[in-house]
Amino acid sequence: QEQLVETGGGLVQAGGSLRLSCAASGRAFSGRAMAWFRQAPGKEREFIAAMRWTGGSTYADSAKGRFTISRDDAKNTVYLQMNSLTPEDTAVYYCASRFGLAFSTQHAEYDYWGQGTQVTVSS
């Protein structure tokens, strides 16, 4: 069964850091592009970062210079290192995967999703 499980969320003060992990099983990782999205209350799901199966990544403007996406193929895990967090980063963060080499910033193009992990940044 294909599955994505996010961990690493929590409460952090502004300026702090968190590292989110997304462990994939089944067909949800190999040969797929991986991405992170987030959704704050009352807002649409927002693209944060994505990484191709073969390497290469892209980031939303809000994440550039602060967040880093990486993957460990031996562990079937993708990470999101988040630094210099602000209260505006408070949201539920989701991991997603899509088949193929190319990544996408559109959430509708991802077919496997995790359950999400809450990140709360206090001021």
Side-chain angles (χ1 to χ4, degrees):
Q1 181 178 353
E2 293 76 17
Q3 190 175 16
L4 298 174
V5 179
E6 303 99 332
T7 56
L11 174 64
V12 64
Q13 288 189 331
S17 299
L18 282 175
R19 189 177 80 155
L20 306 183
S21 300
C22 172
S25 61
R27 296 180 295 175
F29 188 82
S30 180
R32 288 178 156 263
M34 304 297 294
W36 288 93
F37 290 78
R38 69 185 182 189
Q39 189 165 18
K43 295 187 177 181
E44 293 187 355
R45 194 161 295 192
E46 174 189 13
F47 170 77
I48 298 300
M51 174 170 273
R52 293 187 182 93
W53 168 247
T54 53
S57 57
T58 189
Y59 296 88
D61 287 343
S62 59
K64 287 179 181 176
R66 300 189 302 131
F67 295 1
T68 303
I69 188 172
S70 61
R71 60 194 296 162
D72 185 335
D73 293 341
K75 297 181 178 179
N76 281 10
T77 299
V78 64
Y79 304 96
L80 185 68
Q81 177 67 44
M82 304 187 295
N83 300 324
S84 303
L85 287 163
T86 74
E88 287 69 38
D89 295 315
T90 295
V92 177
Y93 283 70
Y94 296 91
C95 172
S97 75
R98 70 186 297 269
F99 180 75
L101 298 179
F103 47 58
S104 172
T105 63
Q106 304 303 309
H107 64 81
E109 296 188 9
Y110 289 81
D111 52 356
Y112 292 135
W113 290 84
Q115 82 290 349
T117 185
Q118 177 70 47
V119 171
T120 303
V121 184
S122 63
S123 58

